[in-house]
Amino acid sequence: MYLMAVRWLEDIRADDIGSVGGKGASLGEMTDAGLPVPPGFVVTADTYRSFIEDTGIDQELFAAVDVETEDSAALAEAASRAEELILGTEMPEHIREEIMTAYADLEGEEPFVAVRSSGTAEDLPEASFAGQQETYLNIQGEELLDRVQRAWASLFTQRAIYYREQQGFAHDAVDIAVVVQQMVDADKSGVLFTSHPSTGAPQTIIEAAWGLGEAVVSGSVSPDNYHVDRESREIESVTVAEKKIEMVRDEETGETVTRSIEGDRRDTQVLTEAEIHELVEMGERVEDHYETPQDVEWAIMNGTVYMLQSRPITTIDDTSSDDAEVEGAGGEDILSGLGASPGITSGAVRIIRKLDELDKVSEGDIIVTPMTTPDMVPAMKRASGIITEEGGMTSHAAIVSRELGVPAVVGTGGATEILRDGQIITIDGERGAVREGRDTPKESEREPIEEARPKAPVKPMTATEVKVNISIPEAAERAAATGADGVGLLRMEHMIMGTNKTPKRYIDDHGAKAYRDEIVDGIRTVAEEFYPRPVRVRTLDAPTDEFRQLEGGNDEPSEHNPMLGYRGIRRSLNEPEIFEHELAAIKHLYELGYDNVEIMFPLVNDAEDVRRARDRLESVGIDTTKREWGVMIETPASVMTIEEMAAEGIDFASFGTNDLTQYTLAVDRNNERVSDRFDELHPGVLKLIGRTIEICREHDVDTSICGQAGSKPEMVEFLVEEGISSISANIDAVRDVQHEVKRTEQRLLLDSVR
Ligand code: PEP
Ligand code: MG
């Protein structure tokens, strides 16, 4: 059979996904639309297929990965056998030839290329699909063949095998294509938003810095910022930042390196007026093509503008948009909002304003609420429909409803006022309409609803990272949908308390492996959702009075003041046999490929605590020089010993202001009698924080906050001024914090140039 091993981007269309994968198809579509995509080709999915079939390794390969995935040794063995088979088998001559011929047709002699895997199973979440993350930059010559083979092998990492097994996808039904694209050796690059990312106003916002775009996207440089009115074409504002570094390709090694920018270029405006206008126009063409505002990564090389990537902006708050208006098909609409989850359903209204009203919801009822929360998920599963007053398409209600396949209308404004408890209504989750009365087929006759996935979140344009706090893994999806840069605090204790047993009781009843699996599952839900964004997992920190309420709680010590008692790292270090399982769970996640997991220790007081905790990590086999780990700053003692802790090799320090405030002011955080004295902005607390940030900056230790105060605008402003590396906020505060960070950063920039 004649096989066309490669296809050029210009010959690819959007519906070629089966042959060239999602990434390949979208690059092809953009090339076809005349957008300046760097030239390239795709090694098709059929080529991968023909490689494993023609060389006869297919049967052995699929047999090798057919293992019990909960058995980590077997899983590791499977992945390594698959890799061996794919990398150890020579690529047939005709495939090699075709790839190298296409490569030779690229511009220049032995040009540098980027090699990326492109999954064909689009119903698998991007981050989870094997190999989607595999990207090799600056590849040259015959090395390309090796990278293509590696991209194929990435279909069988431990994580990919595990995920497919969990989701019930057959290993032999998933293919992989590989995109090979000319590298753009950018002189300048950045991102642009074709509309204002939160208001949707017709304004192009461009961020630009010297060198490769990674510096802007990763937030390691403060970029210039340009605002252009799309109607008048006027450049409304230009903010020139001090650009301290740039990322460039090292001439000798071909690798991407960061170097410091010296002299005038630091403060020189990156974009010329002509380039600004060219970028605005390109943005408009992308937006026209996709018919929705876009977040575009661009680069300029030798005066030519390239478009590297584009995706829809998902943070525009469109709850008031006219699109939601519908005409009644039958009865009159009594309410309208956004159709967040498709399907038509009828039922009785249950108005929920407080969590303890959830019992009211019976099978088939329609929940009407200001906004859903993760605690409402069990009731949402019983409901036949959901209406919220607030929220947009990526709100908790919208995402969870879509996942559960329950029709939902969100952002209706006054639903809890307009509707009455017990009233029978019909909702249309496609068009966002609510009518009086029942006029739908019974639930059993409803058409199955296609699963929708939340869209990729847009990156907030701030140098300070904005992350999110999570306590219950069920909230992961909602948290990820905020566009947060990662998880700044994932509390482990809730995963345990969810079982209603103390750790010791759980292990006695079910064994250590089950305990460890409980932790692995909880963390994995979040790590998967956020991958490759970092997820900072905190080891157990529950006071004994909380454990006492659980099964096995009678064996817990009874303490006069649990807040000052047996909790956090002091307990973990005293009970290594329990602590060890938490660390082993994290180690197992690393083995599964979740290299985005970070480890954080609560309530440390000094370098001695840090040393002992680090020894525990090493003793379970976690290499602390390779993994990100750090501590919470929750006691004045930890502030006063931060230099010594930094010397122990911590990568980060995160302010737990709930405790730091309590221990600095001697105010019990749980005692409402003194709640008026619980002030996280107290000068004493702020001084401790400021000192820590300053010293950490000197020692190259990242700083963050994960206490409640990180969601308060005044605190955010203070922290950004002090130079904190990241802020972790509550899910619902992420957006406001992103804006507050942006505002503060811009003001600092302006102050520095005025
Ligand atoms: C804190 O103390 O601020 C913190 C985030 O930890 P917790 O609230 O779990 O004690
Ligand atoms: Mg704390």
Side-chain angles (χ1 to χ4, degrees):
M1 187 192 79
Y2 175 71
L3 170 82
M4 199 172 59
V6 310
R7 294 176 65 177
W8 286 91
L9 289 182
E10 55 262 38
D11 300 329
I12 291 169
R13 299 295 173 265
D15 58 4
D16 287 331
I17 225 167
S19 152
V20 299
K23 208 168 283 161
S26 90
L27 286 168
E29 183 185 350
M30 293 187 292
T31 305
D32 182 46
L35 292 162
V37 175
F41 56 87
V42 180
V43 180
T44 66
D46 279 346
T47 307
Y48 154 75
R49 228 345 110 165
S50 125
F51 165 72
I52 56 167
E53 284 172 5
D54 296 356
T55 59
I57 60 169
D58 54 337
Q59 294 312 326
E60 197 181 341
L61 179 64
F62 299 133
V65 296
D66 183 16
V67 292
E68 170 53 64
T69 48
E70 295 301 338
D71 178 345
S72 49
L75 183 59
E77 170 64 27
S80 96
R81 179 71 194 125
E83 186 182 74
E84 223 170 71
L85 275 170
I86 293 180
L87 298 186
T89 301
E90 197 163 330
M91 204 187 267
E93 188 53 35
H94 70 281
I95 300 180
R96 295 170 67 91
E97 233 170 61
E98 251 194 277
I99 294 176
M100 290 315 289
T101 307
Y103 173 69
D105 282 347
L106 288 170
E107 217 171 286
E109 200 167 314
E110 293 250 310
F112 283 100
V113 290
V115 180
R116 297 190 165 89
S117 49
S118 175
T120 58
E122 283 303 294
D123 42 353
L124 289 177
E126 280 269 317
S128 302
F129 178 65
Q132 282 282 26
Q133 298 299 323
E134 224 51 77
T135 293
Y136 306 102
L137 301 178
N138 296 314
I139 303 305
Q140 198 180 25
E142 294 259 334
E143 202 190 342
L144 168 60
L145 297 171
D146 171 64
R147 295 313 152 114
V148 169
Q149 244 162 311
R150 280 180 197 276
W152 289 341
S154 72
L155 201 47
F156 299 99
T157 60
Q158 290 190 47
R159 194 169 144 249
I161 298 170
Y162 185 92
Y163 188 80
R164 280 198 298 272
E165 207 61 50
Q166 292 288 305
Q167 302 294 316
F169 288 99
H171 296 300
D172 57 2
V174 182
D175 284 338
I176 189 162
V178 186
V179 175
V180 179
Q181 219 180 356
Q182 194 131 17
M183 285 293 295
V184 176
D185 207 359
D187 308 315
K188 28 181 118 168
S189 52
V191 296
L192 72 82
F193 288 75
T194 63
S195 295
H196 193 288
S198 48
T199 63
Q203 197 181 36
T204 300
I205 297 173
I206 306 173
E207 304 216 312
W210 302 115
L212 301 172
E214 278 133 290
V216 178
V217 173
S218 68
S220 39
V221 69
S222 304
D224 286 1
N225 189 288
Y226 310 84
H227 286 212
V228 183
D229 182 320
R230 282 179 46 186
E231 272 146 22
S232 68
R233 300 272 146 186
E234 192 196 332
I235 300 176
E236 293 175 321
S237 74
V238 175
T239 311
V240 178
E242 187 193 2
K243 296 158 292 285
K244 294 188 183 144
I245 56 123
E246 66 183 333
M247 290 189 180
V248 289
R249 196 176 65 213
D250 186 290
E251 294 284 336
E252 306 222 314
T253 63
E255 275 169 23
T256 303
V257 292
T258 302
R259 69 178 182 209
S260 150
I261 298 179
E262 305 302 338
D264 290 351
R265 266 175 87 234
R266 268 198 178 199
D267 302 311
T268 305
Q269 179 172 330
V270 172
L271 294 176
T272 64
E273 208 169 296
E275 285 169 336
I276 295 171
H277 288 300
E278 202 176 330
L279 285 169
V280 171
E281 257 166 54
M282 180 186 77
E284 286 183 340
R285 272 160 53 209
V286 186
E287 181 173 309
D288 283 351
H289 180 74
Y290 287 105
E291 296 177 343
T292 173
Q294 298 286 307
D295 164 8
V296 181
E297 278 174 37
W298 57 268
I300 295 180
M301 177 171 70
N302 299 330
T304 306
V305 174
Y306 289 97
M307 177 188 145
L308 305 181
Q309 199 185 354
S310 181
R311 51 189 175 175
I313 300 178
T314 54
T315 55
I316 293 176
D317 185 1
D318 49 3
T319 47
S320 58
S321 113
D322 291 344
D323 301 353
E325 224 77 61
V326 286
E327 283 166 11
E332 230 177 76
D333 291 342
I334 51 175
L335 197 64
S336 69
L338 285 175
S341 177
I344 296 175
T345 186
S346 301
V349 167
R350 298 291 171 228
I351 294 180
I352 306 296
R353 292 204 179 84
K354 291 197 229 80
L355 281 180
D356 62 7
E357 295 174 315
L358 283 172
D359 289 350
K360 296 204 305 202
V361 182
S362 310
E363 205 66 42
D365 287 346
I366 293 179
I367 296 179
V368 178
T369 183
M371 186 58 203
T372 62
T373 63
D375 315 61
M376 293 170 71
V377 173
M380 292 168 78
K381 287 184 185 156
R382 293 196 293 275
S384 75
I386 289 158
I387 299 176
T388 70
E389 298 190 312
E390 299 153 23
M393 296 300 280
T394 52
S395 63
H396 176 257
I399 292 167
V400 175
S401 307
R402 280 202 292 269
E403 239 178 76
L404 299 175
V406 178
V409 178
V410 302
T412 57
T416 65
E417 302 299 326
I418 294 163
L419 302 174
R420 298 181 316 276
D421 243 334
Q423 184 181 10
I424 301 295
I425 57 167
T426 297
I427 78 176
D428 181 340
E430 176 81 50
R431 299 178 310 126
V434 180
R435 297 189 292 272
E436 175 107 57
R438 182 187 296 277
D439 67 350
T440 59
K442 295 226 177 57
E443 178 149 2
S444 53
E445 292 156 22
R446 277 206 335 247
E447 287 194 21
I449 295 152
E450 245 182 74
E451 281 218 6
R453 282 193 281 123
K455 289 176 246 170
V458 81
K459 278 213 176 61
M461 302 185 297
T462 56
T464 313
E465 293 190 317
V466 179
K467 299 184 182 175
V468 62
N469 299 332
I470 297 184
S471 292
I472 33 178
E474 292 96 307
E477 190 166 1
R478 181 171 169 237
T482 60
D485 293 314
V487 176
L489 168 65
L490 173 58
R491 292 181 170 99
M492 202 185 272
E493 51 275 13
H494 293 261
M495 295 168 206
I496 311 299
M497 299 213 271
T499 68
N500 209 33
K501 294 183 180 184
T502 61
K504 180 157 183 322
R505 174 59 63 88
Y506 192 92
I507 294 168
D508 287 349
D509 287 357
H510 309 281
K513 182 174 182 305
Y515 180 69
R516 198 193 69 180
D517 287 349
E518 198 72 53
I519 299 171
V520 168
D521 285 348
I523 300 174
R524 182 173 45 216
T525 304
V526 181
E528 177 68 46
E529 192 66 54
F530 275 80
Y531 196 88
R533 290 177 278 171
V535 172
R536 206 163 269 182
V537 179
R538 186 179 71 183
T539 58
L540 214 51
D541 180 17
T544 48
D545 54 335
E546 284 184 29
F547 275 149
R548 282 182 72 81
Q549 299 162 6
L550 307 175
E551 271 181 55
N554 288 341
D555 298 335
E556 288 287 308
S558 170
E559 298 181 291
H560 272 300
N561 199 334
M563 277 298 182
L564 298 176
Y566 198 44
R567 57 173 287 214
I569 200 67
R570 50 185 82 158
R571 179 167 188 166
S572 296
L573 292 174
N574 252 24
E575 297 180 7
E577 68 290 353
I578 305 264
F579 191 34
E580 183 176 87
H581 298 309
E582 297 165 36
L583 305 180
I586 293 175
K587 175 160 181 265
H588 184 52
L589 285 155
Y590 290 143
E591 286 160 2
L592 289 172
Y594 294 98
D595 48 14
N596 57 331
V597 170
E598 305 179 350
I599 308 161
M600 179 157 70
F601 298 120
L603 220 66
V604 298
N605 262 341
D606 47 44
E608 172 71 12
D609 280 343
V610 174
R611 215 166 14 245
R612 292 177 62 197
R614 190 192 54 205
D615 287 349
R616 286 282 142 210
L617 285 179
E618 296 286 353
S619 77
V620 299
I622 292 175
D623 184 345
T624 52
T625 62
K626 295 225 175 73
R627 305 297 181 182
E628 293 286 307
W629 65 284
V631 297
M632 292 195 66
I633 298 296
E634 296 177 291
T635 66
S638 64
V639 173
M640 301 323 283
T641 59
I642 186 69
E643 285 102 331
E644 291 82 356
M645 291 201 280
E648 296 298 330
I650 54 171
D651 295 304
F652 59 82
S654 182
F655 300 106
T657 41
N658 308 338
D659 281 320
L660 184 60
T661 305
Q662 137 169 299
Y663 299 134
T664 303
L665 304 180
V667 175
D668 180 347
R669 60 192 261 194
N670 284 345
N671 183 346
E672 61 284 354
R673 244 176 240 282
V674 286
S675 61
D676 60 329
R677 292 203 153 250
F678 189 83
D679 177 14
E680 298 128 313
L681 296 162
H682 188 284
V685 178
L686 295 187
K687 260 193 196 158
L688 292 172
I689 292 176
R691 174 184 200 275
T692 310
I693 294 176
E694 194 184 325
I695 295 170
C696 283
R697 284 170 68 102
E698 283 162 16
H699 291 79
D700 237 350
V701 170
D702 275 357
T703 45
S704 189
I705 181 171
C706 58
Q708 295 290 341
S711 301
K712 293 188 172 175
E714 303 88 335
M715 181 60 101
V716 171
E717 190 179 356
F718 168 78
L719 294 169
V720 173
E721 279 172 2
E722 295 293 307
I724 201 163
S725 326
S726 69
I727 290 177
S728 193
N730 299 334
I731 296 177
D732 49 358
V734 170
R735 286 293 301 285
D736 286 348
V737 171
Q738 286 168 347
H739 287 292
E740 190 58 40
V741 168
K742 184 79 201 173
R743 246 193 307 277
T744 308
E745 286 181 356
Q746 267 175 344
R747 184 173 52 70
L748 290 174
L749 274 175
L750 283 175
D751 288 352
S752 75
V753 295
R754 271 180 190 143

